[in-house]
Amino acid sequence: MTGTRHRDATQGSACLMQAFRRALPMAALAVLLLSAAASPTAAGNPHSAFYSPANDRVFWFIHASDIHLGARGSKDSENLQWLVTTAQNTICPSFIVVSGDLTDSTNGNILGYPNGPHQEEWNEYKSIVDPNVTADTYYDIPGNHDAYSDQYFAYYLANSVQGRATGGTQHSWTRNFWFGEYHFLGVNTADNTGAAFSFLPPYYGDHAGLDSTELAFISSELQAHPNAALTLVFGHHPLAATGDPKDTYIYYGRDEFVGLMNSNGASLYGYGHTHDSSESFYTAGMSEGVFYFNVSALGKDSPNQYTVTAIDCNGIASVTQNVNTWPVVLVTAPMDRYLGGNVNPYTYSIPNSPANPIRALVFDTATVNEVQYRIDLSGSWRAMQRTAAGNPAYPHLWEAVWNASGLAPGEHTVEVRATTASGVRTDTVRVNVQGTLAGDFPPPDCDVDGSDLAVLIGNPSLMDISTFAQNYGKNTCP
């Protein structure tokens, strides 16, 4: 699809950005280190996550997909209304990204047969989103149901929030904070032929992919943000076959797209389409890989879900939850070493320190009574406290100091529990505790990464800043 344009946005949702404006920037050692260590040749640095007591480097967003407005017998309009009102006002995300299938293209016909596009569906879509979002807080990208029988995406361009704002089908935006730039990219993986829906395999009228013009836009936008701390990408389709023959995926342009994410340091690819939720790690054709997160449909089939993703000191955390259920609990630090299903290369180990930080986000429409943590799924629950009112993540961020000095080296579990007027919910992460505070000084794991930054923040005498920055992200063993 031609005519794609770049769109930068440095503002988030009103509640979150006002909080960041109130916060006074900390002259944290970590900021200097990561600024000095930034790679000039990549758009993002997946290895930049670090463990720190700094609690003012946290922000979050919502990822939803597959609204299918117009689907017969679904909660499409009800759930979209909830997303852009109750969820947005309660969770206060920096932005919402919706990765395709905004409409169903059936207009509620009894057979559920996509025979659109139907302007009636788009009119209802606009009536819900327009009073509640702006083009700087809501990023809607097309899916296959938005592309059937519409080769040039005329209906998407005339009716979606981003189509009207940018005149394009792919979108690039940033979030800029005092602690760094974060780049986000929405790509159009939908079929470019204008084919109608079909019952015939293997494509079912959905020959998904990325053509040369779309790939050129992606390449240009990735290269335009060489100073981004992290780069996260969203599309409608999975990158490869899921095992279900009815799940179409990116058939053409996939290898080039994966190569661009690999060479430009992307950390995550988030998608929808399958109406299932999963977290895995995609490595095919990549040096290390990307977090590969699939979110279930918001408005069709069951369960109807959405995902909250947070970035805390460049570490990614994610939780998927059913629509209109509370509380939402997400541990943001320490980072889960099993994010993506297996031990991933972008997490950090943590020191066996007597003052290790734990942070978690808690969201609820009702009163939050208490938030607690415990270690290794046993023992007493210990209290966590809300951050001070001046913190940019207040009142959603809770924290505690954890004494890990008595733990044996190896894997341990951190569990956070929130008790609210709505109910009780927990979130759990697994971490690797180092048996020494020395980190890679001398190096036991042969690299200089976020684990070492956590140690260096606690003991700056271990290595001077310039030497650390010069070797950050490199293998330093002979």
Side-chain angles (χ1 to χ4, degrees):
M1 173 64 194
T2 58
T4 52
R5 297 178 184 172
H6 169 245
R7 181 176 183 81
D8 261 333
T10 57
Q11 302 298 312
S13 66
C15 49
L16 181 62
M17 295 311 297
Q18 286 174 4
F20 268 105
R21 293 189 194 102
R22 289 196 303 266
L24 292 175
M26 289 178 55
L29 172 63
V31 179
L32 299 175
L33 291 171
L34 290 178
S35 299
S39 168
T41 60
N45 182 4
H47 285 283
S48 62
F50 64 98
Y51 190 48
S52 169
N55 64 6
D56 56 353
R57 297 169 58 93
V58 185
F59 72 100
W60 57 93
F61 60 89
I62 290 175
H63 176 205
S65 194
D66 295 80
I67 298 168
H68 287 278
L69 206 68
R72 186 181 183 88
S74 71
K75 293 186 176 180
D76 48 355
S77 57
E78 177 183 335
N79 288 350
L80 177 59
Q81 182 76 35
W82 176 87
L83 176 70
V84 299
T85 55
T86 302
Q88 180 172 230
N89 295 335
T90 303
I91 297 173
C92 286
S94 181
F95 60 85
I96 298 171
V97 57
V98 181
S99 56
D101 283 359
L102 312 176
T103 62
D104 196 48
S105 198
T106 63
N107 202 29
N109 70 61
I110 194 168
L111 298 176
Y113 183 91
N115 59 358
H118 296 284
Q119 186 60 46
E120 296 90 340
E121 293 178 336
W122 285 108
N123 288 343
E124 185 177 9
Y125 180 78
K126 290 189 293 185
S127 73
I128 295 172
V129 298
D130 283 2
N132 297 295
V133 303
T134 70
D136 287 337
T137 61
Y138 185 86
Y139 298 88
D140 48 356
I141 59 181
N144 55 296
H145 280 252
D146 308 311
Y148 290 133
S149 302
D150 189 6
Q151 180 176 5
Y152 300 107
F153 296 87
Y155 281 77
Y156 169 84
L157 292 172
N159 296 283
S160 69
V161 173
Q162 289 300 317
R164 285 177 285 161
T166 70
T169 61
Q170 301 193 115
H171 311 292
S172 175
W173 67 99
T174 61
R175 285 296 179 263
N176 293 289
F177 305 101
W178 64 270
F179 49 82
E181 176 187 79
Y182 297 82
H183 182 212
F184 303 89
L185 190 60
V187 304
N188 177 17
T189 63
D191 181 19
N192 289 314
T193 69
F197 171 79
S198 170
F199 286 111
L200 299 177
Y203 304 129
Y204 305 96
D206 178 27
H207 190 229
L210 293 160
D211 64 24
S212 59
T213 302
E214 290 164 338
L215 289 168
F217 172 86
I218 294 167
S219 176
S220 175
E221 289 305 317
L222 289 172
Q223 294 178 31
H225 297 278
N227 296 319
L230 295 177
T231 298
L232 283 69
V233 185
F234 302 89
H236 182 64
H237 292 85
L239 297 173
T242 65
D244 184 339
K246 294 182 180 179
D247 286 340
T248 50
Y249 55 94
I250 300 178
Y251 296 104
Y252 60 92
R254 188 267 311 275
D255 292 346
E256 295 88 342
F257 175 47
V258 168
L260 287 170
M261 288 196 291
N262 184 57
S263 62
N264 288 280
S267 296
L268 178 148
Y269 178 72
Y271 64 101
H273 187 56
T274 70
H275 296 196
D276 286 324
S277 290
S278 64
E279 288 186 0
S280 58
F281 203 73
Y282 188 89
T283 59
M286 307 192 78
S287 301
E288 292 180 291
V290 291
F291 295 115
Y292 189 50
F293 291 175
N294 188 193
V295 62
S296 186
L298 184 79
K300 192 175 183 180
D301 296 332
S302 182
N304 298 139
Q305 297 180 318
Y306 67 102
T307 295
V308 178
T309 299
I311 296 172
D312 184 333
C313 293
N314 292 349
I316 296 174
S318 179
V319 64
T320 297
Q321 190 145 328
N322 290 355
V323 166
N324 205 25
T325 60
W326 306 100
V328 178
V329 182
L330 176 58
V331 177
T332 65
M335 187 180 177
D336 188 356
R337 73 189 306 245
Y338 286 94
L339 184 68
N342 299 305
V343 176
N344 70 76
Y346 305 140
T347 192
Y348 45 70
S349 294
I350 63 176
N352 58 351
S353 165
N356 278 350
I358 298 175
R359 288 187 290 274
L361 290 165
V362 178
F363 308 103
D364 202 318
T365 56
T367 301
V368 178
N369 297 320
E370 64 179 353
V371 180
Q372 301 164 297
Y373 78 93
R374 67 177 179 178
I375 305 302
D376 291 335
L377 305 177
S378 62
S380 301
W381 289 96
R382 298 178 180 273
M384 299 180 69
Q385 294 78 38
R386 263 197 181 101
T387 55
N391 186 280
Y394 177 87
H396 309 294
L397 188 63
W398 295 70
E399 62 183 351
V401 175
W402 160 39
N403 184 353
S405 61
L407 290 181
E411 188 170 289
H412 294 273
T413 300
V414 178
E415 183 181 15
V416 171
R417 179 177 71 180
T419 302
T420 76
S422 301
V424 178
R425 197 176 303 272
T426 64
D427 188 36
T428 303
V429 299
R430 285 180 286 178
V431 300
N432 182 60
V433 174
Q434 291 177 331
T436 174
L437 286 174
D440 280 343
F441 316 104
D445 61 1
C446 297
D447 58 22
V448 179
D449 56 18
S451 302
D452 312 305
L453 180 51
V455 174
L456 193 59
I457 290 172
N459 190 353
S461 66
L462 290 171
M463 182 181 286
D464 67 271
I465 294 175
S466 61
T467 301
F468 181 91
Q470 183 179 5
N471 289 282
Y472 190 77
K474 298 179 181 179
N475 185 307
T476 59
C477 292

